[in-house]
Amino acid sequence: MRFLKLFVLLFVIQTQAQQGGMWIPSLLKGMNETEMKNLGMKMSIKEIYDVNQSSLKDAVPHFNGGCTSEVISPKGLILTNHHCGFSQIQSHSTVENDYLTDGFWAYKMEDELPNENLYVTFIVKIEDVTASVLEGTAALTNEAEKQKKIQENITTLSRTLPKESWQENKIRTFYEGNQYMLFVTETFTDVRLVGAPPSSIGKFGSDTDNWVWPRHTGDFSLFRIYANKDNRPAAYSKDNVPYTPKHFLPISLDGVAEDDFTMVFGYPGKTNEYLPSVAIEQIVNELNPAKIEIRDKALKVADGFMRKDNAIKIQYASKYAGIANYWKKWIGETQGLKKSNAIAIKKESEKVFQNNITKAGKEKEYGNLLTDFDKNYTEIAPYALARDYFQEVVQRNTELLSVAYRLYQLEQVYKANGEQSFTDRKNNLITGLSGFYKNFNANVDQNVFEQLIDLYSKKSPKQFLPQSLVNIDATNLATEIYSKSRLKSYQDLKELLTGDTKTVLTNLNNDKAYQLVKELSDKYSIEVAPKYDEINLKITALQRTYMKAQLELNKDSRIFPDANSTLRVTYGKVKGYEPKDATIYTPITYLEGVMEKYVPGDYEFDVPAKLIDLYKAKDYGIYAENGKLPVNFIGTNHTTGGNSGSPAIDAKGNLVGLNFDRVWEGTMSDIYYDPSICRNIMVDVRYILFIMDKYAGAKNLIEELKLVHPKKTKTLKTKTVNKK
């Protein structure tokens, strides 16, 4: 297959070690291996990825579809971030047993807590299936027809390619549709909560420190995978046993130093490294500012209530963190793109690209790409902005409206598919929304609604605004809807959905919140979404051709595929950086920094009394270095959302840290990676061990682990340190 050959040609031997990129682990031979060795790696590529023998890939499962985790014991114990396990910790918390505030530790396996709908997925093998996926598409000129044929091929291949009965075939696209890879996976659904520090450790610094360095957060939690007696995936059962992994990660007690090699293994969610400059301009100047303003207002309302009422704080803790995460990310991304002059750099590279097209005599195939990008991004601009306002206000950040939107979709199911589909979806909604109402507060949401509907009416593109939102009084509208809508309580919702289809639809259409959402959604689905999708399909086709041209015309360049939630390797070094003039950040923080930030009683910067006592006594056990306890460190690994919980692995394959964030100045790495300021943030594994051992007294868990000293002697690498 010529695209694969083209991809392999990119793996040229380079004399200088380079960093950045998210690489497919089955294709590391060549350029990547050389770079990794030059950076200090001591492992072989087969130790990282091997189909026939156990390798690092077998210790790195996808955690619940959105994060990464790693197996750290022969009994299926897995480590991930506190924020990745946050909703599970929250779901087990009550005012009486507040695991968010106090932490949770299972000192016996029978005390480990099951979690509904939590799963982890392992990669068994990766294969290129590009030729099979693209079969029958060469002669198709219509983009919609081509995509339809590709999806048909993917469906057939996923069903027919060989796998075990408990496994699944998943095919994902790379290089904007120029390459397709098969992932054979195993998914385990009995995953139990084992341990979590209190939020004052696991979320220390909370939203103030989010995306910021220096950082002092113990962002970790522990779970255990359970399997049936044959060590295969099985639904929760008391008869299940701890999973025996193909591989688990030894844990280094030697820590890291500046310039040490680090490799982060995980499932980065989505990047857009090859966008044209016109797209980046739209993000920086229009789309990000709108989304930032919407979430800023929602967060300020929720924060005001959470600070006054602990019950609301528990209800909204996970939701608030989710909203704040990308709010702050978009702020840093915008600032980083401006600071690094990314748009101007992209424009210069596009001039070179256009010259290369001319030199190669490829004007017919690629000569109009950049002008076509300009035309389509200009045309899509108002639709993209209207889409973001609708999604952020109606679907995501106003909870009453998000419920009403799901009911609007229910009505559309009836119109499209009839009564049986309507009834099935209705029953699923009734069941699924019970958890939503547990964490819903109408008073909080009314205040959020008032702020966001005012923004929607004033700043969403006027041509797509429903007549009922023109010149509104947001306060009066909020009062009317929240005093009259029956969607505020689970009991009322169930009553609204009781009866035959005609009765249910009549009741819904008489509800004030539903009426507003129906008007908004009709306007969006008729005037915005179809045109957005039409133009975006053209942009998708252009992006695929643009990527194809990049591969053809830049054979010696380091061109990695954008992230798409598949298993990737990124490598770099422990490294400080200079974010601005006269400011130099060193790469490691210590427990002293926690105490410097300590604010008694503050929900972001409080510190547990026991941790203070351990600090005062300098009772760090074997986890200190020169009398100081490391907490976090940074490196040049190219990460993004989805890498949360990823293992940071040393040169010899041992766990040294747990990835959990990026620095604010470098969050633009999803679009443009700048090695001078892009840094990922990791919890030092010794801080994790210290919290487990000295703080929580969970010696039962410490005894499961393989603790090693790779920097001291070679023989210790295979021995477990005696903790008794």
Side-chain angles (χ1 to χ4, degrees), residues 431-450:
T431 302
L433 285 172
S434 62
F436 166 86
Y437 279 100
K438 175 187 174 186
N439 294 317
F440 174 73
N441 184 291
N443 193 25
V444 176
D445 199 56
Q446 179 174 338
N447 282 268
V448 171
F449 172 90
E450 181 180 332

Side-chain angles (χ1 to χ4, degrees), residues 103-159:
F104 170 81
W105 303 95
Y107 297 101
K108 303 187 295 294
M109 285 187 182
E110 52 265 36
D111 294 334
E112 296 172 358
L113 301 176
N115 300 280
E116 190 175 358
N117 300 322
L118 178 61
Y119 61 94
V120 297
T121 301
F122 289 89
I123 302 297
V124 178
K125 67 176 179 178
I126 307 171
E127 291 181 1
D128 189 295
V129 291
T130 307
S132 298
V133 170
L134 295 180
E135 186 175 350
T137 65
L140 299 176
T141 56
N142 181 278
E143 182 62 22
E145 290 179 5
K146 182 177 287 188
Q147 291 302 318
K148 181 181 177 183
K149 179 61 177 175
I150 287 171
Q151 287 307 312
E152 288 173 356
N153 290 344
I154 287 174
T155 300
T156 300
L157 290 167
S158 299
R159 187 178 66 249

Side-chain angles (χ1 to χ4, degrees), residues 564-631:
N564 59 357
S565 294
T566 58
L567 187 61
R568 303 292 183 91
V569 167
T570 178
Y571 45 85
K573 287 190 171 188
V574 176
K575 203 77 175 173
Y577 72 111
E578 299 182 21
K580 54 189 174 183
D581 183 49
T583 302
I584 299 174
Y585 283 147
T586 56
I588 301 171
T589 61
Y590 298 89
L591 189 59
E592 282 78 2
V594 174
M595 299 307 159
E596 289 170 0
K597 293 179 177 179
Y598 171 41
V599 179
D602 184 87
Y603 86 99
E604 293 186 304
F605 294 103
D606 203 2
V607 176
K610 186 171 183 180
L611 185 58
I612 295 172
D613 292 341
L614 290 166
Y615 167 73
K616 288 179 177 178
K618 299 295 183 283
D619 186 5
Y620 302 147
I622 61 172
Y623 310 113
E625 182 176 297
N626 299 320
K628 298 174 69 176
L629 182 66
V631 176

Side-chain angles (χ1 to χ4, degrees), residues 307-340:
R307 288 179 180 273
K308 296 174 183 176
D309 190 320
N310 193 51
I312 293 176
K313 180 182 174 184
I314 292 173
Q315 280 184 315
Y316 277 77
S318 181
K319 292 183 284 191
Y320 186 95
I323 295 168
N325 191 43
Y326 265 76
W327 163 76
K328 197 166 186 178
K329 188 262 187 185
W330 290 324
I331 295 173
E333 177 180 85
T334 302
Q335 292 177 352
L337 288 169
K338 290 179 179 178
K339 176 181 171 60
S340 61

Side-chain angles (χ1 to χ4, degrees), residues 506-647:
T506 299
N507 289 339
L508 285 177
N509 280 277
N510 286 329
D511 186 89
K512 286 290 183 182
Y514 187 83
Q515 290 170 359
L516 174 62
V517 166
K518 186 170 183 176
E519 189 177 9
L520 287 165
S521 300
D522 282 347
K523 196 79 172 173
Y524 174 78
S525 62
I526 294 168
E527 297 184 20
V528 178
K531 192 64 177 178
Y532 175 89
D533 292 341
E534 176 192 326
I535 304 169
N536 194 52
L537 193 63
K538 295 177 185 177
I539 291 173
T540 299
L542 284 172
Q543 195 71 42
R544 184 176 63 245
T545 305
Y546 186 51
M547 195 74 249
K548 179 173 176 284
Q550 296 278 7
L551 291 167
E552 285 185 16
L553 301 174
N554 300 286
K555 292 183 173 63
D556 295 332
S557 297
R558 301 173 78 253
I559 302 179
F560 61 93
D562 269 319
N564 59 357
S565 294
T566 58
L567 187 61
R568 303 292 183 91
V569 167
T570 178
Y571 45 85
K573 287 190 171 188
V574 176
K575 203 77 175 173
Y577 72 111
E578 299 182 21
K580 54 189 174 183
D581 183 49
T583 302
I584 299 174
Y585 283 147
T586 56
I588 301 171
T589 61
Y590 298 89
L591 189 59
E592 282 78 2
V594 174
M595 299 307 159
E596 289 170 0
K597 293 179 177 179
Y598 171 41
V599 179
D602 184 87
Y603 86 99
E604 293 186 304
F605 294 103
D606 203 2
V607 176
K610 186 171 183 180
L611 185 58
I612 295 172
D613 292 341
L614 290 166
Y615 167 73
K616 288 179 177 178
K618 299 295 183 283
D619 186 5
Y620 302 147
I622 61 172
Y623 310 113
E625 182 176 297
N626 299 320
K628 298 174 69 176
L629 182 66
V631 176
N632 294 156
F633 65 96
I634 53 175
T636 60
N637 304 280
H638 190 175
T639 62
T640 187
N643 277 122
S644 291
S646 288

Side-chain angles (χ1 to χ4, degrees), residues 361-377:
K362 294 282 185 178
E363 291 95 336
K364 183 178 179 181
E365 296 98 320
Y366 307 131
N368 295 324
L369 275 172
L370 295 176
T371 54
D372 286 346
F373 271 133
D374 286 340
K375 173 180 176 293
N376 282 282
Y377 274 104

Side-chain angles (χ1 to χ4, degrees), residues 2-14 18 23 27-32 35 175 179 274 547-561 571:
R2 64 186 180 128
F3 290 119
L4 180 57
K5 290 178 182 176
L6 195 59
F7 180 76
V8 173
L9 282 173
L10 297 173
F11 287 4
V12 294
I13 302 299
Q14 299 190 7
Q18 294 195 44
W23 306 95
L27 298 173
L28 292 175
K29 270 289 183 185
M31 179 195 75
N32 293 120
E35 289 182 355
Y175 295 110
Q179 185 179 37
Y274 306 102
M547 195 74 249
K548 179 173 176 284
Q550 296 278 7
L551 291 167
E552 285 185 16
L553 301 174
N554 300 286
K555 292 183 173 63
D556 295 332
S557 297
R558 301 173 78 253
I559 302 179
F560 61 93
Y571 45 85

